[in-house]
Amino acid sequence: MNTELHSLQGRSRIHAALGDPARLAIVDALTLGDASPGEIAQDLQMSTNLVAHHVKVLTEAGLVGRGRSEGDRRRTYLRLRPEALVALNPAPLTGVRRVVFVCTRNSARSQLAAALWSDRTHTAAASAGTKPAQRVHPRAVAVAHRHGLALNPTGTSHVADVVRDDDLVIAVCDNAHEELSGPVRPRLHWSVPDPVRADTDDAFEAAFADLAARVERVAPVITPAMDPGEHRD
């Protein structure tokens, strides 16, 4: 990993470089294939001097590299450095052995989030509540079923019985985020509206969609912890 690219300063330079429409157009073009500065100027209808200026900024930000043509050695081709775009993602959360989603009643949002996480990432996930209900809400069971997931209708738990020291705790409701200030403290907070308040299929579908989008966004930055004796290539 290029630590300079992934530093806050390096990421800030990349964002600044992409803030100009012309430079973003150059990056778009190089995402599809390599090109000479002259080809860029022709395709984007820019002057060669302007292209040279923008390429200099992109190169200094770490987004673009250069290579000599193996044919006409006088010609230079520009290529995108994809790792620079990857560096725009937040710094990874490392050493995560399990993700635990917490809400107040452990009857809807936390249950759906854990099911989504396990399904999308194929890694361990659990859920719990600060004041768990007796059962999972029927509409939560139903919306999970509609999307090919299964919830245990009686499987609610208290945070004290579920959370371990090496868990990544994500609060999926505002109350749980604000209540948990002792040994169990959420590292992340997803402010997902409570579908039980409306108690309609549409509200549960909206909560499911919100949670699914957040799982897709956060999962790539989670680095699972290795088990003892495990070796990674």
Side-chain angles (χ1 to χ4, degrees), residues 16-200:
L18 293 173
D20 183 282
R23 291 196 285 272
L24 185 57
I26 293 172
V27 169
D28 284 347
L30 295 178
T31 299
L32 303 178
D34 304 340
S36 69
E39 290 169 337
I40 291 288
Q42 181 177 354
D43 291 344
L44 300 181
Q45 297 183 342
M46 295 183 197
S47 70
T48 54
N49 287 342
L50 189 57
V51 169
H53 164 71
H54 289 314
V55 167
K56 181 175 184 292
V57 174
L58 293 169
T59 301
E60 290 175 348
L63 282 158
V64 170
R66 297 170 179 267
R68 286 287 180 187
S69 166
E70 292 184 351
D72 182 349
R73 299 289 296 175
R74 296 169 297 178
R75 178 173 294 196
T76 296
Y77 286 113
L78 307 172
R79 65 176 59 195
L80 183 69
R81 297 181 62 199
E83 66 271 20
L85 294 178
V86 173
L88 294 176
N89 294 327
L93 299 176
T94 60
V96 175
R97 198 162 296 280
R98 186 178 64 158
V99 179
V100 177
F101 296 93
V102 177
C103 65
T104 304
R105 303 286 284 166
N106 190 215
S107 65
R109 289 164 291 180
S110 56
Q111 294 278 353
L112 292 170
L116 277 161
W117 189 273
S118 295
D119 181 69
R120 302 294 195 268
T121 70
H122 306 291
T123 59
S127 69
T130 56
K131 301 178 181 67
Q134 293 297 313
R135 296 178 62 83
V136 178
H137 196 287
R139 290 190 190 276
V141 176
V143 74
H145 180 74
R146 285 196 294 272
H147 291 274
L149 304 176
L151 299 184
N152 177 3
T154 62
T156 62
S157 303
H158 191 277
V159 290
D161 300 323
V162 174
V163 177
R164 305 187 298 241
D165 290 341
D166 57 356
D167 287 332
L168 170 64
V169 179
I170 302 179
V172 292
C173 85
D174 299 340
N175 287 331
H177 176 66
E178 294 161 12
E179 289 174 11
L180 292 171
S181 57
V184 178
R185 179 65 187 153
R187 187 168 179 184
L188 298 177
H189 173 212
W190 297 353
S191 185
V192 179
D194 185 2
V196 177
R197 291 179 182 273
D199 199 14
T200 64

